[in-house]
Amino acid sequence: MRDVLLEKIELLRQRMVNMGLEFGLDHPDVLEYSIQIDQLHNELNQIDHSLSKAEYRKKSYRFYLMENNAHFA
């Protein structure tokens, strides 16, 4: 799912850049591409956040005291 979102973002980005070069950055279609890209980025961030929370829960931490220094591992 993450890879599909990245591909969609890149495709829309390329279209937005081409449209912006041809018609200007304030063209309504360019702005619409920007909005779509923002929405996909938000979805990607939600996926990444969910994955990082799941990995955080799985990871166990240990606290070590060695030669008067504290270390986390």
Side-chain angles (χ1 to χ4, degrees), residues 8-52:
K8 286 181 182 179
I9 289 169
E10 180 58 22
L11 178 64
L12 288 172
R13 187 194 67 78
Q14 289 174 8
R15 289 180 183 170
M16 181 181 68
V17 167
N18 290 336
M19 181 80 64
L21 290 172
E22 188 172 344
F23 297 107
L25 297 177
D26 59 347
H27 190 275
D29 289 342
V30 174
L31 298 176
E32 182 59 35
Y33 280 127
S34 179
I35 290 168
Q36 290 176 19
I37 291 168
D38 286 346
Q39 290 170 345
L40 292 175
H41 270 133
N42 289 338
E43 288 180 39
L44 185 64
N45 285 334
Q46 287 176 346
I47 289 171
D48 287 347
H49 182 71
S50 296
L51 290 175
S52 69

